[in-house]
Structure formats: C-alpha cells, structure tokens
Amino acid sequence: MKYISLLLLLLLSMPSFSCDCKMVKDLMEVQKHEFTYSDLVFIGEVVHSDINSGTYQLKIVELFKGKSKSKFICVTAGTCSPLPEKEDGFWLVYANILDVGTIRVDGCGLSRSFRFPYTQSSESPVPPPPRPTKDLMMDELKGLIIESEYRNKALQVLKEEIELLRKGK
C-alpha cells in the first residue's frame, strides 16, 4: 500500500504539458503574422522521422522566405510541435532557426502537411463526426462524404496560401 501511495503521489506531482492552440478567426491575418515572424517559409518533403528522439528531416523543395545553406534541414520537435512521419510527404512549413541546419516549428502555427491540411482556423475546421443512426454503413458513408468536403476546403485554403507565397517571392 505504501508503494502504491508513493507511486500515485509521484505521478500526481509531475508537471503536465498540454497545448492550447487558439482557434483562428482571420486566417489571412495569421498568415501575414506567420510569414513576418518566421525565419524560414518553405515547402518541404519529409525524408526521415525519428519519433524516439523527436526529430525529423525535411528536404526543402521550394523556399519562400529566408536562406538555408543546405537543401536538407533538421527539425527539433518541441512539446506542441508536429512530428510528421515519412508517409506525410510534403509540408508547408513556417519555422524559426535554432542553429545552423536546425529549425523549430510552432505546433500552434500554420505549418501543415498536404495529407492533413487543416489549420486551427474557423475557415478550415476538422470535420465533425456524423450523427449516428441505425444504419452503420450509411453513417460511415456520410462521414466519409463530410470528411472529403472539409478536406477539399482545407486543400483549397492551402493552395491559395501557397499561391500567395509564390506571388510574394
């Protein structure tokens, strides 16, 4: 009993970390802010991901802002930073330089993958779950349709954002 009490006390006294990303109301304003306060803005391809160390490597495909001495850049994931897998493919990245060849990506920022292009924006929300009915197959199909509509909207927002970044080059 003594050991269980000690274990519970240790677990309860440990600090916990959570990310509290705010919902964006004006996406254009946040895009301007992210661009202004980021050292690097680019499209990158995930070439390596190490979940254990919390790092991943991106190959810079198209650079919109900043300079990099190498086409490959290492990303150190923080508490709220995204940790993509190699299957995630391409990302739009807003980042700040930590050291030569190492950057930090804000988990509450606009960096996102093309595979999961959602932002914390009211213009591009993650789809809600479908309302359950007695017909489970129809529920699943309705859910897929809703999800694809939201994904198409999020991809359109991502496309427009990249077009704006290309115009600003």
Side-chain angles (χ1 to χ4, degrees):
M1 182 69 177
K2 204 190 280 187
Y3 295 111
I4 293 173
S5 299
L6 181 62
L7 180 63
L8 284 173
L9 181 65
L10 283 172
L11 289 174
L12 293 174
S13 65
M14 293 175 66
S16 63
F17 300 99
S18 66
C19 303
D20 185 22
C21 300
K22 305 290 184 232
M23 182 65 77
V24 173
K25 290 189 173 111
D26 184 355
L27 186 58
M28 288 291 284
E29 191 64 37
V30 175
Q31 288 169 337
K32 289 178 193 173
H33 180 271
E34 285 275 304
F35 186 82
T36 302
Y37 292 101
S38 295
D39 298 327
L40 288 174
V41 179
F42 63 94
I43 293 174
E45 181 180 9
V46 180
V47 292
H48 178 73
S49 180
D50 185 355
I51 294 172
N52 295 327
S53 69
T55 62
Y56 53 99
Q57 189 177 36
L58 296 172
K59 177 183 177 186
I60 297 174
V61 176
E62 187 173 357
L63 188 62
F64 301 113
K65 179 183 178 188
K67 292 182 182 177
S68 179
K69 293 182 180 184
S70 172
K71 278 242 182 238
F72 296 94
I73 195 151
C74 183
V75 184
T76 303
T79 306
C80 296
S81 299
L83 185 57
E85 296 179 19
K86 193 168 181 183
E87 300 81 44
D88 285 337
F90 294 96
W91 278 66
L92 174 60
V93 179
Y94 293 86
N96 288 308
I97 298 170
L98 295 177
D99 296 317
V100 175
T102 306
I103 60 171
R104 183 183 58 79
V105 176
D106 182 7
C108 291
L110 293 181
S111 297
R112 60 203 184 273
S113 74
F114 288 24
R115 191 173 90 164
F116 194 79
Y118 305 100
T119 64
Q120 294 291 330
S121 161
S122 57
E123 295 176 33
S124 176
V126 176
R131 292 188 177 147
T133 65
K134 291 181 182 177
D135 189 347
L136 295 176
M137 282 195 303
M138 285 306 288
D139 286 347
E140 189 171 338
L141 287 173
K142 287 177 186 174
L144 289 171
I145 290 168
I146 291 169
E147 184 180 324
S148 69
E149 288 169 355
Y150 277 84
R151 188 176 191 307
N152 286 340
K153 183 177 180 181
L155 283 168
Q156 184 62 34
V157 170
L158 178 62
K159 178 184 171 212
E160 291 168 5
E161 187 172 341
I162 290 171
E163 287 171 355
L164 282 173
L165 288 167
R166 286 180 174 150
K167 286 179 184 176
K169 270 182 140 177

